[in-house]
C-alpha cells in the first residue's frame, strides 16, 4: 500500500491462523503505534474468518467509534471471552478514524483514496480522528487492497475503479479475487461517513462499499494487531493447517 505495508491478496491465500482456537486470517504486516504519535513497530494484523452475530455499530445511532456500542462490546465482553493466552498476544493500537463524505465520483472511491481518508483528520463534527484500543474492525482500504484482480480486470484496474462499482459484472474479478469478500453477509468497517453523524462504511454482500445507518444490525469481523514480539511457531497457513502463534 502507499506506506509499504505488506498485505495478503487473492481469492484464498494461505494466510489462515489459529487464534483463540478459531480460524483467523492475516491481513498483513503494518507499521503501527500503540499511542497517538508514538513510535511505530511492525505488527501482524489479523481478522476473524467467521463473523460474530448481527450487532449494531452503535445503538445510540452516532458514528463515533470511541463511544460506539460495538466498540465497547468488542473491547469488553468479547475481549473477556478470549482465553488468557490470546489476550496476552493483543497489543494496544492507535486506530485512525478519519472518514469522508465524498466517495462516489471519479477517483474519490479508489482504494488509495479511502486509505488517505482513513488516515486523515476529517471526521463528523466533534468526533475524534483516532482511538487507542485492542479490537476494532477492518478499513474499507483493507478490503480493497486484498484483491488480486483476475484475467478480465487485473489488480491495477481494480485499484483505479471506485469500490462503489465493484458489484458491477464488469468488475466482478475485483471482489471474486478478494479473500475478505463474502457474499453471505454485510461487513461493518471502522470508518465513519463524514457528512452524516449516523452512518459508517460497510462492505455490501454484493461486493461494493457503501455507507449504512449505524443503528442497524449487521455482521462484524473483529480485527486486532498482535504484539510485535509475537512469532509464528508452526503451521502452513492453510485452513487445514493454519499458522500458530507464540
Amino acid at each position: 500500500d502507499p506506506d509499504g505495508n505488506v498485505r495478503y491478496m487473492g481469492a484464498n491465500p494461505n494466510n489462515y491462523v489459529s487464534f483463540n482456537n478459531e480460524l483467523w486470517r492475516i491481513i498483513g504486516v503494518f507499521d503501527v503505534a500503540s499511542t497517538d504519535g508514538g513510535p511505530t513497530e511492525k505488527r501482524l494484523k489479523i481478522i476473524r474468518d467467521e463473523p460474530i452475530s448481527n450487532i449494531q455499530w452503535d445503538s445510540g445511532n452516532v458514528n463515533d467509534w470511541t463511544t460506539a456500542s460495538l466498540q465497547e462490546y468488542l473491547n469488553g465482553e468479547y475481549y473477556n471471552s478470549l482465553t488468557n493466552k490470546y489476550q496476552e498476544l493483543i497489543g494496544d493500537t492507535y486506530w485512525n478514524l478519519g472518514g469522508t463524505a465524498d466517495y462516489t465520483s471519479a477517483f474519490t472511491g479508489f482504494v488509495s483514496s479511502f486509505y488517505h481518508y482513513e488516515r486523515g483528520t476529517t471526521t463528523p463534527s466533534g468526533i475524534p480522528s483516532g482511538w487507542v484500543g485492542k479490537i476494532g474492525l477492518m478499513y474499507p482500504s483493507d478490503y480493497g487492497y486484498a484483491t488480486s484482480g483476475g484475467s478480465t480486470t487485473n489488480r491495477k484496474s481494480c485499484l483505479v475503479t471506485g469500490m462503489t462499482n465493484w458489484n458491477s459484472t464488469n468488475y466482478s474479478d475485483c471482489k471474486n479475487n478478494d479473500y475478505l469478500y463474502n457474499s453471505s453477509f454485510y461487513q461493518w468497517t471502522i470508518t465513519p461517513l463524514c457528512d452524516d453523524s449516523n452512518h459508517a462504511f460497510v462492505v455490501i454482500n454484493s461486493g461494493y462499499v457503501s455507507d449504512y445507518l449505524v443503528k442497524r444490525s449487521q455482521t462484524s469481523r473483529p480485527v486486532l494487531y498482535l504484539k510485535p514480539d509475537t512469532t509464528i511457531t508452526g503451521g502452513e497457513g492453510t485452513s487445514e493447517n493454519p499458522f500458530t502463534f507464540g
Side-chain angles (χ1 to χ4, degrees):
D1 62 31
D3 290 321
N5 298 306
V6 180
R7 299 171 180 263
Y8 277 96
M9 64 183 188
N12 191 29
N14 290 334
N15 61 343
Y16 289 93
V17 298
S18 177
F19 186 84
N20 199 49
N21 301 315
E22 303 164 341
L23 278 179
W24 289 55
R25 306 191 78 159
I26 301 173
I27 294 178
V29 182
F30 292 76
D31 282 312
V32 292
S34 58
T35 59
D36 184 8
T40 62
E41 300 172 293
K42 291 189 182 298
R43 292 164 59 182
L44 285 171
K45 182 179 186 179
I46 65 173
I47 183 169
R48 197 172 188 262
D49 193 41
E50 291 295 323
I52 58 174
S53 58
N54 284 0
I55 190 169
Q56 295 169 301
W57 201 96
D58 183 56
S59 58
N61 205 31
V62 178
N63 59 359
D64 181 354
W65 181 253
T66 66
T67 60
S69 56
L70 178 53
Q71 181 272 116
E72 293 176 347
Y73 167 74
L74 290 175
N75 290 274
E77 182 180 342
Y78 180 79
Y79 173 79
N80 292 331
S81 73
L82 305 177
T83 63
N84 289 340
K85 170 185 175 180
Y86 292 98
Q87 287 181 0
E88 292 172 359
L89 295 179
I90 304 172
D92 283 333
T93 304
Y94 180 78
W95 300 73
N96 295 288
L97 300 178
T100 185
D102 181 14
Y103 69 99
T104 60
S105 60
F107 66 89
T108 60
F110 290 177
V111 180
S112 59
S113 300
F114 268 100
Y115 186 85
H116 175 74
Y117 304 144
E118 295 154 6
R119 284 149 185 79
T121 57
T122 301
T123 65
S125 179
I127 290 178
S129 60
W131 165 78
V132 174
K134 294 184 182 299
I135 303 179
L137 303 172
M138 69 175 173
Y139 292 101
S141 67
D142 287 332
Y143 170 64
Y145 281 125
T147 186
S148 63
S151 58
T152 301
T153 307
N154 61 25
R155 186 172 195 267
K156 181 178 179 180
S157 297
C158 290
L159 297 184
V160 293
T161 299
M163 288 195 287
T164 55
N165 295 320
W166 278 22
N167 61 319
S168 167
T169 55
N170 294 331
Y171 304 110
S172 59
D173 279 348
C174 302
K175 65 177 183 181
N176 291 337
N177 292 288
D178 187 323
Y179 71 92
L180 290 176
Y181 168 63
N182 195 300
S183 62
S184 298
F185 47 78
Y186 287 28
Q187 301 181 66
W188 280 124
T189 77
I190 201 171
T191 302
L193 181 71
C194 289
D195 62 349
D196 187 325
S197 63
N198 308 129
H199 286 71
F201 285 101
V202 67
V203 178
I204 305 295
N205 63 349
S206 57
Y208 70 100
V209 172
S210 187
D211 62 88
Y212 215 66
L213 193 66
V214 294
K215 70 176 181 180
R216 291 188 175 180
S217 296
Q218 296 297 341
T219 49
S220 301
R221 297 170 70 183
V223 174
L224 56 90
Y225 293 87
L226 300 171
K227 291 180 178 178
D229 59 351
T230 305
T231 60
I232 293 174
T233 57
E236 297 177 337
T238 63
S239 57
E240 297 81 11
N241 186 19
F243 293 127
T244 55
F245 293 133

